[in-house]
Amino acid sequence: MAEARMRLARIGLEDARGYLNGGVEAWEKAGLPLGELPQISVEDLSQRLQSGRMRVLDVRREREWEDGHIEAASWWPLDNFKVAPPEIDRNVAIAVHCKGGYRSMIACSLLQRAGFENVVNVVGGFDAWQAAKLPVAAEKPVGA
C-alpha cells in the first residue's frame, strides 16, 4: 500500500482514501464485474496512425513532451485530469501513452470513467516508440 501511495503521489494523485482488500482477486471472487483495457504495441499504433484509424494522446509532463513526442499526438498531461478530461472526439479510437505505461494506464481508466469507450493503452509507452526507432517530433523553447 505504501508503494501504491508513493506512485500515485508521483503523478499528482495524493488523496488515496482506501484500497481494495484482497485485490482484484477478491473482487472477482465476489462476482463483481471487471473492466477491461485493450493494449496496443507501438508498431501496431504506427500502422493505425498512417491509415488514420486512431488518434494518440500523450499524458506525459510538459518537459517530456518538449523533449520529443509522437508527431500526430495530442498532449494532455495526467495532472490535467484532476480538472477535466481532454476535449477530444469520443467517437475516434484513442491510444494513450506516457513514458513507460504506468501513467497511461491511469489516464485510460479516467477516460473510461468519463465515458470514452474506444480507449487503448500503448504497451511500453514512448520508451517503446523510441526503441522501435519510430519517428519523433520535438518542440523546444526558443532561446532569446
Side-chain angles (χ1 to χ4, degrees), residues 44-140:
D44 194 15
L45 173 59
S46 178
Q47 290 175 354
R48 289 187 192 192
L49 287 174
Q50 291 172 9
S51 70
R53 297 184 329 215
M54 185 164 274
R55 300 219 26 207
V56 182
L57 181 64
D58 186 328
V59 298
R60 297 174 303 148
R61 292 194 166 113
E62 184 174 11
R63 185 69 192 157
E64 293 172 294
W65 168 267
E66 291 171 349
D67 287 344
H69 56 271
I70 298 171
E71 187 170 2
S74 297
W75 177 61
W76 193 258
L78 184 59
D79 289 349
N80 287 4
F81 280 76
K82 288 188 251 181
V83 177
E87 292 184 20
I88 52 179
D89 187 349
R90 293 173 184 259
N91 299 314
V92 176
I94 303 166
V96 182
H97 83 85
C98 61
K99 182 178 184 330
Y102 185 75
R103 290 174 285 178
S104 60
M105 289 292 289
I106 293 169
C108 285
S109 177
L110 293 171
L111 286 168
Q112 287 177 329
R113 185 172 74 184
F116 290 82
E117 295 180 5
N118 200 354
V119 177
V120 299
N121 183 59
V122 179
V123 176
F126 194 66
D127 285 349
W129 184 270
Q130 288 182 301
K133 301 195 183 327
L134 293 165
V136 173
E139 294 177 14
K140 299 221 182 232

